[in-house]
Amino acid sequence: TPQSLNERINKEEAAGYMREVFESAFRKNLEPVRSEISPDMLLPFGRVFLEDSTQVRLHEKLADDFKGSGGSAGISALKIDLIYEVKQDILQKILISGGSTNDQSRADEILAEIQENDLVLRDLGYFTLKSLIGIGGKSAFFLSRLLKSVNVYFSDDKDASPVNLPKYLDKKYGRLSVTELTVYLGEERLPCRLVAYRLPDEVVRERRGKARSTAQKKGGQRSKDYLNWLRFGFFVTNVPSEIWEPEVVGTVYRLRWQIELTFKNWKSLLNIHVLRGTRRERIECFLYGRLTAVVVMTMISGFASWYACGYLKKEASFHKLTDWLKRKDRLAKAIRSGSSDELF
């Protein structure tokens, strides 16, 4: 009964259950991109941490419990922040908070988790020079995209002038597709490797189109300097070139991007972002229920992929399989009637 369940399940047990939920789901969703990365690329590191977050808009009456950032994001929102360790498939940390919590404000929290020789991969939302310096201070490694607002120098001299990277690369390296530079970041002059990828024209057009559209929604426009910046993909790392050649850096970074794709799949296929209600307890129940569904779907997908590949010599589509399981309530009916074996 609900009462007996309430007596048995406390917050600590629920947190442990949530860890199992996320670990199972992330393990399945990270497998495709991990298969494309040579184990040698990650072998030199003790552990490899990925961190990302996703946001869910809630009813405005929940603003006291889950404050949003306002605007199009809403006055009430929930944010899920994840730190995942890839090599051992361990969920290192999960934080559920209001949507107004800034990713940059959590950038330093990972410092309590990392040890010597670990590697951290995160997106621009977590970019702070302070956290990168802290990672290096623990004899650990980082790989991140470069934030445009951060000044880049070719010298640690305090009187040095920042460089305009796109103009410099065009002038110095012409149409070279991949370039590596030794640079110093910000007023702190953080030394690191900078790897610049010159992007294909179609990718540049797409990036510029999105940038212009975003600016127009906010009533502004992008500068010529910013649009020029979008012609390149800039990455910064303190991993030595003896471990990663410049061409490898972008490939390894794709591992971090897979979490973002996983969040999108969960939202589009399993409606993890649809949490209706005006009570905190209701929202948490819906959230945990949706995450449980994610685990079930990924387990079934893993089984179907194994069977299709091993016995039919074909590939199984996670999207199509999920849609099929949802149609006519196939999965729900199988669970209720105890006929899941037949379904499989």
Side-chain angles (χ1 to χ4, degrees):
T1 65
Q3 184 177 356
S4 62
L5 283 175
N6 188 51
E7 293 172 353
R8 288 172 48 199
I9 301 178
N10 57 35
K11 288 186 177 181
E12 183 177 347
E13 290 171 333
Y17 172 71
M18 287 303 301
R19 289 174 65 91
E20 294 179 8
V21 167
F22 274 104
E23 287 172 16
S24 176
F26 265 80
R27 187 177 300 116
K28 291 293 183 182
N29 282 279
L30 286 172
E31 281 175 0
V33 72
R34 286 174 63 175
S35 65
E36 298 177 10
I37 296 178
S38 168
D40 294 340
M41 296 180 186
L42 303 180
L43 187 61
F45 310 103
R47 297 177 297 175
V48 179
F49 290 111
L50 311 180
E51 184 172 13
D52 204 355
S53 66
T54 188
Q55 190 161 300
V56 178
R57 187 168 180 171
L58 302 175
H59 194 284
E60 60 183 18
K61 290 185 178 180
L62 285 160
D64 290 339
D65 291 313
F66 300 103
K67 184 179 179 181
S69 54
S72 59
I75 63 173
S76 178
L78 176 149
K79 177 175 283 189
I80 303 172
D81 188 278
L82 297 171
I83 300 176
Y84 191 81
E85 201 287 298
V86 175
K87 297 183 75 173
Q88 301 179 69
D89 289 313
I90 294 174
L91 182 70
Q92 193 73 15
K93 201 169 194 177
I94 173 174
L95 296 170
I96 298 177
S97 63
S100 61
T101 305
N102 188 284
D103 286 342
Q104 281 192 340
S105 68
R106 286 180 169 166
D108 292 344
E109 291 193 16
I110 201 168
L111 298 179
E113 311 298 327
I114 62 175
Q115 302 170 4
E116 181 179 352
N117 214 38
D118 287 343
L119 172 66
V120 178
L121 284 78
R122 300 190 290 189
D123 71 358
L124 284 176
Y126 297 89
F127 189 102
T128 70
L129 289 178
K130 180 183 175 183
S131 66
L132 297 184
I133 292 172
I135 293 171
K138 290 205 166 190
S139 298
F141 300 95
F142 60 82
L143 171 59
S144 173
R145 289 169 60 202
L146 175 63
L147 193 65
K148 186 183 182 302
S149 61
V150 175
N151 286 333
V152 177
Y153 303 88
F154 287 154
S155 168
D156 59 356
D157 188 340
K158 293 299 181 181
D159 296 326
S161 300
V163 62
N164 185 310
L165 284 174
K167 289 184 178 180
Y168 177 83
L169 293 173
D170 285 339
K171 181 179 180 180
K172 188 77 173 179
Y173 296 96
R175 298 295 298 176
L176 197 63
S177 59
V178 182
T179 307
E180 178 179 347
L181 304 169
T182 299
V183 299
Y184 301 85
L185 303 181
E187 296 304 314
E188 298 87 344
R189 299 297 197 272
L190 171 66
C192 63
R193 296 170 62 199
L194 183 144
V195 178
Y197 289 79
R198 193 180 295 271
L199 303 176
D201 292 340
E202 60 271 20
V203 175
V204 175
R205 284 194 294 269
E206 182 180 352
R207 296 180 81 188
R208 286 176 172 176
K210 290 181 179 179
R212 289 190 179 103
S213 177
T214 301
Q216 288 174 359
K217 290 179 181 178
K218 297 180 179 180
Q221 59 182 2
R222 289 299 188 182
S223 66
K224 184 178 179 180
D225 181 59
Y226 183 83
L227 295 176
N228 200 30
W229 174 273
L230 295 178
R231 294 190 297 113
F232 297 87
F234 294 106
F235 298 90
V236 290
T237 183
N238 61 344
V239 176
S241 56
E242 293 80 10
I243 296 178
W244 288 345
E245 295 182 355
E247 293 78 9
V248 168
V249 171
T251 301
V252 177
Y253 188 78
R254 289 184 58 204
L255 188 63
R256 191 226 62 81
W257 174 80
Q258 186 66 22
I259 287 187
E260 186 174 323
L261 181 60
T262 297
F263 280 141
K264 289 181 178 179
N265 284 338
W266 291 359
K267 289 182 178 181
S268 63
L269 295 172
L270 300 171
N271 296 323
I272 193 175
H273 62 302
V274 181
L275 302 174
R276 296 191 176 95
T278 58
R279 295 178 64 243
R280 181 188 183 101
E281 293 81 6
R282 177 183 175 88
I283 295 301
E284 290 177 342
C285 284
F286 269 124
L287 176 62
Y288 298 159
R290 297 283 161 78
L291 294 174
T292 302
V294 166
V295 174
V296 173
M297 292 294 192
T298 51
M299 289 174 66
I300 294 175
S301 176
F303 171 81
S305 297
W306 165 79
Y307 185 85
C309 179
Y311 290 88
L312 307 177
K313 308 304 178 184
K314 295 182 178 181
E315 294 184 0
S317 167
F318 179 74
H319 279 73
K320 291 182 178 180
L321 175 60
T322 301
D323 286 337
W324 184 84
L325 289 169
K326 288 165 61 179
R327 283 200 302 273
K328 300 181 181 179
D329 291 332
R330 286 187 174 97
L331 179 58
K333 289 179 180 177
I335 292 174
R336 288 198 298 266
S337 63
S339 59
S340 56
D341 288 345
E342 286 183 34
L343 182 73
F344 294 152

